[in-house]
Amino acid sequence: MASVKVAGIDCGTNSIRLMIATVDDHGMHVEVPRIMRVVRLGQDVDKTHRFDDAALKRTYAAIDEFADVLKSHPVDALRFVATSATRDAENRDEFEDSVFDRLGVRPDVIPGSEEAALSFLGATSVMEARHDADELPDAPYTVIDLGGGSTEMVIGGDGRTAPIDQVVAAFSMNIGSVRMSERHLVSDPPSEDEIRAAIADIDEHIDEAFEHVPAYRTGTLIGVSGTVTTMSGIALGLREYDRDTVDGARIGFAEASETCDRVLRMTRSQRRGYPVIHPGRIDVIGGGALVWDRVLRRIGDAVAEHDGRTLNSYVASEHGLLDGIVLDLGRRMLND
């Protein structure tokens, strides 16, 4: 059976991730599990539209680490994907040149639409492996990828008029944990006025997303990204983060909303008392929690208003953009 060994790097606003896997006709087989480093590449980009020198230094250190891993695990191909922060940075040429010098590939600065499609691919690729064919969760699947600078909303087919793993509509919103925290939630803890301003900003973007994505059709909501999995871990009452426990867990909207509100209103010092929260997310997880809470509320309301159905839970997933990058690269190489 033909197979290829590939690597993917997902360089986001808050973190950068590497994964190496073999891809064949049966799917993706991970050889080097995800390595994640919080580098805050998008520090102040929303305000200055430029990469900060300290942020670049942190990111280059992580990329150098990834380069060493790749030397020990040679691959047939590597794809480096950069997202929201790099899309917004005026001095991104310097960053792209430095990545090439270190890895021998230039970053693919992808648009939000491709980011959404790859996140959908990664999140839905494991659904059949988790469930028997007659026990799959209700379609269509709506995937929310809540990043540091942007949040992608994408819905797939219903299994009748379109395959459930086919993207039907997608939209990228310029809201995320870092962007909302830096733009609005600057006090510690955030003030009521700051929270109200952030909610207005978030809801405006969700309104726009709903013009492109029929989220009211959602059968199963899947949440991916560090913010979502962190909030899910807290909602599950974990003392420390456990990837296997969070991955695939179904969380009720009411429990998630209470958790999001509690984390939003914590001081940074209080958040440090939760080992589930990665130290690199302490100062921005409140912004992410607020975005996630508003997305859950708005999609739940849209479903109820459209046809009276009740959508009151989501599935947390550890599989998102990075999985999609690797799987898509491997499949394209096999097809070629």
Side-chain angles (χ1 to χ4, degrees):
M1 180 185 299
S3 66
V4 291
K5 186 177 178 181
V6 296
I9 294 177
D10 163 19
C11 183
T13 299
N14 199 46
S15 62
I16 185 169
R17 299 171 170 86
L18 165 73
M19 186 166 67
I20 300 174
T22 298
V23 178
D24 57 28
D25 289 341
H26 293 299
M28 183 174 70
H29 314 279
V30 177
E31 298 201 7
V32 177
R34 181 184 63 178
I35 302 171
M36 188 270 287
R37 298 290 179 262
V38 176
V39 296
R40 192 67 55 79
L41 177 61
Q43 176 184 337
D44 293 330
V45 167
D46 185 62
K47 178 173 60 179
T48 66
H49 303 291
R50 294 183 61 81
F51 286 134
D52 179 83
D53 289 343
L56 287 172
K57 185 176 180 179
R58 292 191 298 268
T59 306
Y60 295 154
I63 292 171
D64 289 340
E65 180 185 354
F66 291 175
D68 289 339
V69 173
L70 288 162
K71 287 177 184 176
S72 301
H73 300 273
V75 296
D76 299 314
L78 163 66
R79 188 180 188 195
F80 186 115
V81 167
T83 55
S84 177
T86 310
R87 290 195 290 263
D88 292 350
E90 295 171 352
N91 59 336
R92 76 188 218 189
D93 288 348
E94 172 192 346
F95 173 65
E96 294 178 19
D97 290 343
S98 294
V99 170
F100 182 80
D101 291 342
R102 287 168 163 81
L103 294 174
V105 298
R106 298 193 71 82
D108 287 334
V109 186
I110 62 173
S113 57
E114 183 177 358
E115 184 178 354
L118 290 173
S119 294
F120 185 84
L121 171 62
T124 58
S125 65
V126 300
M127 298 302 286
E128 290 187 5
R130 287 181 179 155
H131 305 274
D132 294 333
D134 57 350
E135 296 179 350
L136 285 172
D138 293 338
Y141 301 151
T142 295
V143 172
I144 304 294
D145 184 352
L146 201 170
S150 66
T151 295
E152 280 63 51
M153 181 185 296
V154 52
I155 191 169
D158 58 9
R160 300 184 301 276
T161 60
I164 60 175
D165 60 353
Q166 177 180 312
V167 173
V168 171
F171 189 77
S172 180
M173 300 175 280
N174 279 330
I175 52 175
S177 60
V178 175
R179 198 183 295 269
M180 291 298 97
S181 295
E182 291 184 350
R183 184 181 294 177
H184 298 292
L185 308 176
V186 295
S187 300
D188 183 25
S191 69
E192 292 300 323
D193 285 344
E194 290 171 350
I195 292 171
R196 281 193 290 269
I199 289 174
D201 194 356
I202 294 165
D203 281 354
E204 183 178 342
H205 284 84
I206 294 175
D207 287 341
E208 186 178 7
F210 281 178
E211 294 177 4
H212 301 270
V213 179
Y216 58 82
R217 296 179 183 169
T218 301
T220 300
L221 183 63
I222 304 172
V224 304
S225 81
T227 290
V228 174
T229 54
T230 297
M231 299 311 299
S232 300
I234 296 173
L236 289 168
L238 300 183
R239 294 180 62 86
E240 294 184 352
Y241 190 77
D242 186 326
R243 186 178 190 272
D244 293 335
T245 300
V246 171
D247 189 32
R250 187 174 285 275
I251 311 292
F253 282 3
E255 189 174 7
S257 181
E258 186 278 329
T259 302
C260 288
D261 188 66
R262 177 157 45 95
V263 171
L264 167 65
R265 297 175 187 279
M266 286 180 185
T267 64
R268 293 173 185 172
S269 177
Q270 289 172 324
R271 292 172 188 162
R272 292 190 184 96
Y274 284 72
V276 175
I277 304 176
H278 188 286
R281 301 189 192 280
I282 293 293
D283 58 337
V284 298
I285 193 69
L290 187 56
V291 172
W292 186 229
D293 184 45
R294 295 308 301 169
V295 167
L296 294 180
R297 289 174 184 268
R298 295 293 306 279
I299 291 180
D301 289 347
V303 170
E305 290 171 6
H306 181 258
D307 56 18
R309 287 185 298 119
T310 298
L311 182 71
N312 56 13
S313 67
Y314 70 90
V315 177
S317 179
E318 283 279 355
H319 305 275
L321 177 58
L322 183 57
D323 297 70
I325 293 168
V326 172
L327 186 56
D328 175 70
L329 175 60
R331 285 177 173 176
R332 286 190 286 109
M333 290 189 67
L334 289 173
N335 288 336
D336 290 342

